[in-house]
């Protein structure tokens, strides 16, 4: 019966750490977000981990709980790989040195929570999903990527590019590594998001991939290879920021229309689908030596 607990009715209120805002009419949306100060508190905890350079199992469980609860009120699943990683970390029961993998996960999860919009609850008719076929290729002449997008009501569009040597080298775990096919298969999904941003925002998107390793990494939102994990997290952060819901399906290589653009050949996609070849837009850290025209 205290005044602190017995608050008057309001259109916007906080309950159990969650801020709920009701519209003033029946046609307005309801928004759900974290209460003010929650993300700031989490940021201080993460900065402390960076400063100390170590993380104990108790602190790992504490950060995991805070991150899972904070993202639970928002759109996205960027924190899923971090929570999985922290569960494994805490199971050791000892303080451990911070790893590059942990720093990548902390950085992207915090960025997503700081920029995430409130979850919106409203009545709207479901629209058809956007379909994106992607492919990567690692040949002696270079590493290349390609994709084709099918969006209802829009002319199909495709892109292709040969990646520069600096980008490819940044993906290698060892100096003598010759193949980066895992990263090459994940990368065009990130490039597709940047290139076709206006079509994918706020939409359901189905990405078809002919590489099972890359597909499963995207489904799990995790890879033990840091360069692949970095690409996956970029995609998750983009989806969270622009409220795009991704689904990852398999397509056999022989049935993948993105195979030709990834090999810098536009003949099939132009003749069969009437696709328009567009200039790809690359995320930070990815550059091309040439693009499909």
């Amino acid at each position: 019966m205290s005044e602190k607990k017995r608050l008057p009715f309001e259109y916007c209120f906080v309950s159990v750490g969650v801020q709920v805002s009701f519209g003033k009419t029946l046609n307005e949306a309801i928004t759900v977000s974290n209460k003010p100060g929650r993300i700031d508190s989490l940021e201080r905890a993460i900065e402390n981990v960076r400063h100390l350079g170590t993380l104990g199992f108790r602190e790992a469980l504490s950060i995991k709980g805070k991150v899972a609860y904070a993202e639970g009120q928002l759109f996205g699943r960027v924190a899923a790989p971090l929570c999985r990683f922290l569960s494994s970390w805490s199971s050791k029961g000892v303080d451990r040195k911070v790893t590059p993998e942990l720093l990548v996960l902390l950085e992207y999860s915090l960025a997503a929570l700081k920029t995430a919009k409130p979850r919106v609850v409203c009545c709207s008719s479901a629209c058809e999903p956007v379909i994106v076929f992607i492919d990567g290729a690692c040949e002696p002449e270079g590493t290349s990527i390609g994709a084709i997008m099918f969006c209802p009501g829009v002319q199909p569009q495709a892109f292709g590019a040969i990646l520069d040597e600096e980008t490819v080298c940044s993906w290698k775990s060892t100096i003598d590594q010759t193949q980066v096919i895992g990263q090459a298969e994940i990368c065009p999904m990130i490039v597709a998001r940047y290139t076709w941003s206006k079509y994918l925002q706020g939409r359901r998107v189905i990405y078809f991939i002919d590489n099972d390793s890359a597909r499963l990494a995207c489904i799990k939102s995790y890879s033990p290879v840091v360069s692949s994990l970095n690409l996956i997290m970029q995609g998750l952060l983009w989806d969270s920021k622009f409220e795009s819901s991704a689904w990852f399906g398999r397509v056999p290589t022989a049935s993948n229309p993105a195979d030709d653009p990834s090999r810098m050949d536009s003949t099939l996609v132009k003749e069969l689908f009437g696709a328009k070849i567009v200039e790809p837009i690359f995320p930070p850290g990815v550059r091309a030596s040439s693009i499909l025209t």
Side-chain angles (χ1 to χ4, degrees), residues 20-239:
V20 181
S21 297
F22 282 91
K24 296 187 177 182
T25 69
L26 292 176
N27 293 324
E28 291 185 57
I30 301 169
T31 61
V32 182
S33 58
N34 286 292
K35 73 174 183 179
R38 178 175 292 278
I39 305 303
D40 292 337
S41 174
L42 179 60
E43 183 174 19
R44 289 192 294 270
I46 291 175
E47 285 298 329
N48 189 52
V49 171
R50 289 194 185 120
H51 175 71
L52 294 175
T54 60
L55 180 63
F57 72 96
R58 290 188 179 88
E59 292 79 10
L61 287 174
S62 175
I63 291 176
K64 175 196 170 187
K66 290 178 179 178
V67 169
Y69 191 86
E71 198 186 37
Q73 321 314 322
L74 306 172
F75 184 96
R77 57 193 185 99
V78 184
L82 173 62
C83 291
R84 187 183 301 110
F85 188 87
L86 290 175
S87 291
S88 175
W89 187 285
S90 62
S91 67
K92 305 297 182 182
V94 295
D95 290 8
R96 297 164 59 192
K97 288 185 178 180
V98 170
T99 64
E101 187 178 5
L102 176 59
L103 291 176
V104 167
L105 292 169
L106 288 171
E107 176 186 347
Y108 278 104
S109 298
L110 180 60
L113 290 170
K114 290 177 70 174
T115 59
K117 300 175 183 177
R119 180 187 295 176
V120 178
V121 182
C122 61
C123 294
S124 61
S125 58
C127 57
E128 294 180 58
V130 179
I131 307 297
V132 180
F133 289 86
I134 67 98
D135 190 46
C138 291
E139 303 293 347
E141 55 269 22
T143 299
S144 54
I145 61 172
I148 180 169
M149 178 200 69
F150 298 93
C151 180
V154 177
Q155 179 186 5
Q157 297 182 12
F159 68 74
I162 298 176
L163 302 178
D164 71 356
E165 192 60 29
E166 185 177 349
T167 298
V168 175
C169 287
S170 71
W171 291 344
K172 296 180 178 180
S173 303
T174 59
I175 296 177
D176 59 348
Q177 183 177 342
T178 58
Q179 283 281 355
V180 288
I181 189 61
Q183 295 85 347
E185 294 281 5
I186 297 171
C187 180
M189 279 187 283
I190 318 304
V191 178
R193 288 168 165 95
Y194 278 75
T195 303
W196 295 311
S197 176
K198 69 177 181 179
Y199 302 112
L200 307 187
Q201 292 184 31
R203 298 288 292 272
R204 294 175 298 155
V205 185
I206 302 177
Y207 296 92
F208 281 104
I209 316 165
D210 61 14
N211 181 288
D212 262 343
S213 176
R215 181 177 66 89
L216 292 173
C218 291
I219 290 173
K220 294 186 294 184
S221 301
Y222 179 74
S223 170
V225 181
V226 175
S227 55
S228 294
L229 179 61
N230 187 61
L231 290 168
I232 291 168
M233 295 304 296
Q234 285 189 57
L236 288 172
L237 186 59
W238 192 94
D239 288 345

Side-chain angles (χ1 to χ4, degrees), residues 242-264:
F242 295 107
E243 301 182 3
S244 178
S245 181
W247 181 273
F248 305 98
R250 172 164 173 75
V251 59
T253 300
S255 303
N256 188 356
D259 186 71
D260 282 7
S262 75
R263 300 174 190 279
M264 306 301 283

Side-chain angles (χ1 to χ4, degrees), residues 8-27:
F9 285 102
E10 296 286 352
Y11 286 107
C12 181
F13 61 91
V14 173
S15 177
V16 200
V18 180
Q19 181 169 285
V20 181
S21 297
F22 282 91
K24 296 187 177 182
T25 69
L26 292 176
N27 293 324

